[in-house]
Amino acid sequence: MRSVPIDFVRASEAALADPVLHASVRRAMVRFRDLQRAVIEEVPDWQALREHAHRVKMHTLAHLDRYLEQLDERVTAAGGRVHWARDAGEAQRIIADLVRARGGRAVVKSKSMTSEEIELNTALQAAGCQVVETDLGEYLVQLAGDRPAHLIAPAIHRSTEEIARLLADRLGVPVHDDPAELTRTVRRVLRRTFLSADVGITGVNFAVAETGTLVIVENEGNARLTTTLPRMHIALMGVEKVIPRLADLAVFLTLLPRAATGQRLSSYVSWITGPRRPGEGDGPEELHLVILDNGRSGIAADPVMAEALACIRCGACLDVCPVFERTAGHAYGSVYSGPIGAVITPLLRGLDAAAQLPFASSLCGACGEICPVRIDLPRLLLELRARVMSRGWSGPMERMFVRGWTAVMARASRLRVAGRMARWALRALQGRRVLPYPLSAWVRYRDLPAPPADAFRDRWQKIRSSGGAQP
Amino acid sequence: MRDASGRPGRVALWVTCLVDQLFPQVGEAAVAVLRRAGVEVDVPLAQTCCGQVAFNDGFWPEAARLARKFLNDFGGAEAVVTPSASCATMVREFYPLLLRDDPPAAVRARDLAARTYELTEFLVDVLDAGDLGARFPHRVTCHASCHSLRGLRLRDQPLRLLRAVRGLELRELPGLEECCGFGGMFAVTFAALSGSMLHAKMAAVEASGAEVVTSTDCSCLMHIAGGLSRRGSAVRAVHIAEILAAR
Ligand code: SF4
């Protein structure tokens, strides 16, 4: 895990310097938004569904121990094995040991942001395994030696041309500009990999405590191959993925594809309860479920922040976020980018590692409005800002500015005097580009307002006595 | 005092610190419009700032101090009206959160929140105003600020008033729901991101074919106007109160 604090300001400015990047992301996001809007509008009780999903998640988080125990029990009863990992290192070790015990060399992976979070690939490679991502976007990102930029569209920051060149370079295939042909090429390569893999690793979208069923939602069918072809399936989930009952799934399976990809249904929803049973035609011989904490139980116990764990990783908040649109995700310095990343990364890694992230938002509120589980993201950002500042982590200029502002605003008489000085200064500074903080940053993109001769409060007596409608 | 229909006959105008100090003409226009709509206007001169600046930047103890002051300044008002959706959102949505450790203040805040309105919201939802006798012969596009859109859920209120203005040609703004990039300290801390969002907004304003961009928020307008001026655009930024007061 990195310990250098995430420098969002620097990283976002670097991303902004690449207009092609912004254009690629923008195009994809606008398409997502349109699709999402259309399928969300056709659900008449969308708001009620979000509310319901929110309640189920919050209830589960409040009784996390109970449901996780139940899940453990049911998965075990179905013939699976459950492993508990307190942190990333423990999860890496557990999984590497499982792979080694199986004599595994070749590992296929599908659908797991959590494995990115714990940097599983690096650990497995260090243990001598070959790990191949099988979801198209993840595969491309892996091939490029890059990191995913979006929760469900990991290669959103790459243009078709870049991808064509990448495949030509690495796989020795001709350069194609037809996305369908590119997909076919990758498929051909991956089919062989699937057949030779010893172990399949996936994430989990929902884990049903009542039945021990692991639910995986996807569109490409790779998770299905990953969980059926290799002899061992290892599923990795964060503790927050548990839900109480099968009956709760209906709501989540309505919300997730609509918010994620603007689809009514996902192409594949796999329900996995235990490994292959005698007489069954396919499925792994061994099923292992690794349940990862990595800071989550601390978040669940935090009455203000627990809400962040309700996230179902649909990516919708990223798709509507003007900041994400311009940074293409990487500036957030974590697999979790966009508004949810700005909330969850400081919670998972500690505020000192990511103190800038909660501020990386204009608080426009679009994320909170779209979130299918109704997480109040702007409020969580504000709460985190307050925590950062209460530890005195502001810049000294900023602190001086806000403290000074507050002191002036504490009395109208002070405001009158300070306002007069500010207007005088504004007049003197018109047209200047080299200015003290915070005006320095303002004039990079904007001119200063031209100040009036006097304040409204100075005119009020006259306006009041005029009494008429015409000022 | 409420009149027979239960409408407040007298409102306290909350000018906001920004309007007071930098855009007094907006405050004057708000007074004129409210008077034309038949209500008397008070301006409590003890008012300063609602604390939003400090609150959004994470300085909650400082913000709470200003919030308590605000409750004292406006506590007795029958209705509080402000030409700023963003400031109205602060009182309505965030005071109870900010003051949660001070239950009596939180109760007063909730009580005041129920009587606090953004100007166009008050005119339309409370006074049922439409035509206020304004005349503004220009092509106008209306920037829906994020706080008006998502904080106060204003949709048609500003447009209904603008449509009744004589000579005004209303132009649709492409990408209406997209933030202009102001965001208070965000404009300073993340200046490059803010600047990029501003550019997209200005492009949309120009694409609308409007000569004037208006809004319920002076803060967004100050940012947009500063950008338009920097790029030498012919489009002017004018607060909606000024348009509604124009004759
Ligand atoms: S926070 Fe909400 S919108 Fe964002 S990824 Fe999670 S569930 Fe989706």
Side-chain angles (χ1 to χ4, degrees), chain A residues 3-27:
Chain A
S3 52
V4 187
I6 297 167
D7 190 347
F8 189 88
V9 175
R10 261 271 260 314
S12 62
E13 299 211 355
L16 275 167
D18 182 348
V20 181
L21 189 73
H22 179 197
S24 307
V25 179
R26 165 97 191 158
R27 208 174 315 122

Side-chain angles (χ1 to χ4, degrees), chain A residues 326 364 398 403 423 447 457, chain B residues 20-21 57 62 196 229:
Chain A
R326 287 165 173 82
C364 77
E398 188 180 9
R403 297 256 160 93
R423 283 193 302 280
D447 286 341
R457 65 182 61 241
Chain B
D20 179 25
Q21 297 298 318
D57 207 32
E62 286 81 358
S196 169
S229 149

Side-chain angles (χ1 to χ4, degrees), chain B residues 42-200:
Chain B
D42 285 331
V43 176
L45 287 175
Q47 62 173 293
T48 54
C49 163
C50 64
Q52 185 180 193
V53 179
F55 176 71
N56 282 356
D57 207 32
F59 291 83
W60 287 18
E62 286 81 358
R65 229 170 293 143
L66 294 181
R68 281 192 211 96
K69 177 179 182 311
F70 185 92
L71 294 176
N72 289 337
D73 296 343
F74 285 96
E78 201 179 322
V80 180
V81 177
T82 180
S84 166
S86 149
C87 302
T89 304
M90 179 64 196
V91 170
R92 292 240 292 252
E93 211 168 307
F94 294 120
Y95 269 17
L97 176 65
L98 176 62
L99 298 167
R100 69 184 159 202
D101 296 330
D102 181 353
V107 168
R108 287 172 66 207
R110 256 189 214 99
D111 176 51
L112 188 62
R115 287 175 279 137
T116 300
Y117 303 89
E118 182 277 328
L119 177 66
T120 67
E121 178 187 41
F122 182 76
L123 290 168
V124 172
D125 294 353
V126 179
L127 300 184
D128 195 25
D131 186 352
L132 291 161
R135 207 185 106 75
F136 192 75
H138 299 285
R139 293 189 303 275
V140 174
T141 193
C142 185
H143 162 63
S145 73
C146 298
H147 283 109
S148 69
L149 215 50
R150 290 179 272 262
L152 302 180
R153 314 220 146 265
L154 300 186
R155 296 279 158 176
D156 203 42
Q157 290 89 332
L159 300 181
R160 175 167 152 190
L161 295 168
L162 289 173
R163 278 193 212 103
V165 174
R166 282 174 197 82
L168 187 148
E169 187 188 327
L170 195 58
R171 291 292 177 103
E172 208 169 302
L173 185 64
L176 187 75
E177 312 226 331
E178 288 175 33
C179 177
C180 70
F182 173 63
M185 293 299 279
F186 176 78
V188 169
T189 314
F190 299 97
L193 281 166
S194 170
S196 169
M197 289 158 73
L198 172 60
H199 271 104

Side-chain angles (χ1 to χ4, degrees), chain A residues 274-326:
Chain A
R276 177 204 303 216
R277 260 155 258 179
E280 283 181 348
D282 57 17
E285 291 158 20
E286 287 179 55
L287 168 72
H288 295 270
L289 175 64
V290 181
I291 301 179
L292 174 74
D293 190 310
N294 209 24
R296 288 167 171 77
S297 51
I299 306 175
D302 180 329
V304 174
M305 293 298 162
E307 202 179 333
L309 290 181
C311 174
I312 56 174
R313 307 275 187 259
C314 71
C317 57
L318 281 59
D319 299 335
V320 296
C321 177
V323 173
F324 175 87
E325 178 183 319
R326 287 165 173 82

Side-chain angles (χ1 to χ4, degrees), chain A residues 8-9 12-13 16 22 26 30 33 37 304 322-323 325-327 356 359-366 369 376 378-379 382-383 385-387 389-390 394 398-399 401-403 405-406 408-412 415-416 418-420 423 426 432-433 437-438 441-452 454-461 463-471, chain B residues 13 15 17 19-29 31-33 35-36 41-49 51 53-60 62-63 65-66 69 93-94 97 100 146-147 149-150 153 155 177-179 181-200 202 219 222-231 245 247:
Chain A
F8 189 88
V9 175
S12 62
E13 299 211 355
L16 275 167
H22 179 197
R26 165 97 191 158
V30 168
R33 284 180 210 165
R37 184 167 314 128
V304 174
V323 173
E325 178 183 319
R326 287 165 173 82
T327 61
Q356 283 185 5
F359 296 86
S361 162
S362 65
L363 298 176
C364 77
E369 193 176 55
D376 192 346
R379 185 178 57 81
L382 283 163
E383 298 264 10
R385 291 179 180 194
R387 290 187 186 185
M389 290 310 183
S390 73
S394 59
E398 188 180 9
R399 189 160 52 240
F401 172 73
V402 175
R403 297 256 160 93
W405 176 283
T406 313
V408 166
M409 295 300 176
R411 279 202 227 304
L415 171 59
R416 196 185 284 261
R420 211 167 288 148
R423 283 193 302 280
L426 265 182
R432 295 253 298 261
R433 300 273 173 98
Y437 177 90
W442 181 267
V443 295
R444 257 175 82 185
Y445 300 96
R446 295 143 290 223
D447 286 341
L448 295 170
D454 46 17
F456 176 82
R457 65 182 61 241
D458 301 320
R459 303 182 188 179
W460 172 239
Q461 286 312 334
I463 302 166
R464 177 159 66 179
S465 52
S466 80
Q470 197 79 50
Chain B
L13 182 67
V15 265
C17 51
V19 168
D20 179 25
Q21 297 298 318
L22 291 182
F23 305 100
Q25 75 279 11
V26 173
E28 289 177 333
V31 173
V33 169
R35 282 177 178 168
R36 250 180 246 164
V41 180
D42 285 331
V43 176
L45 287 175
Q47 62 173 293
T48 54
C49 163
V53 179
F55 176 71
N56 282 356
D57 207 32
F59 291 83
W60 287 18
E62 286 81 358
R65 229 170 293 143
L66 294 181
K69 177 179 182 311
E93 211 168 307
F94 294 120
L97 176 65
R100 69 184 159 202
C146 298
H147 283 109
L149 215 50
R150 290 179 272 262
R153 314 220 146 265
R155 296 279 158 176
E177 312 226 331
E178 288 175 33
C179 177
F182 173 63
M185 293 299 279
F186 176 78
V188 169
T189 314
F190 299 97
L193 281 166
S194 170
S196 169
M197 289 158 73
L198 172 60
H199 271 104
M202 292 192 298
S219 43
M222 177 174 72
H223 165 76
I224 295 172
L228 290 169
S229 149
R230 174 63 59 88
R231 84 148 91 182
R247 282 224 156 135

Side-chain angles (χ1 to χ4, degrees), chain A residues 151 311-318 340 370-373 375 377:
Chain A
L151 289 176
C311 174
I312 56 174
R313 307 275 187 259
C314 71
C317 57
L318 281 59
I340 186 63
I370 192 88
C371 176
V373 282
I375 299 173
L377 290 157

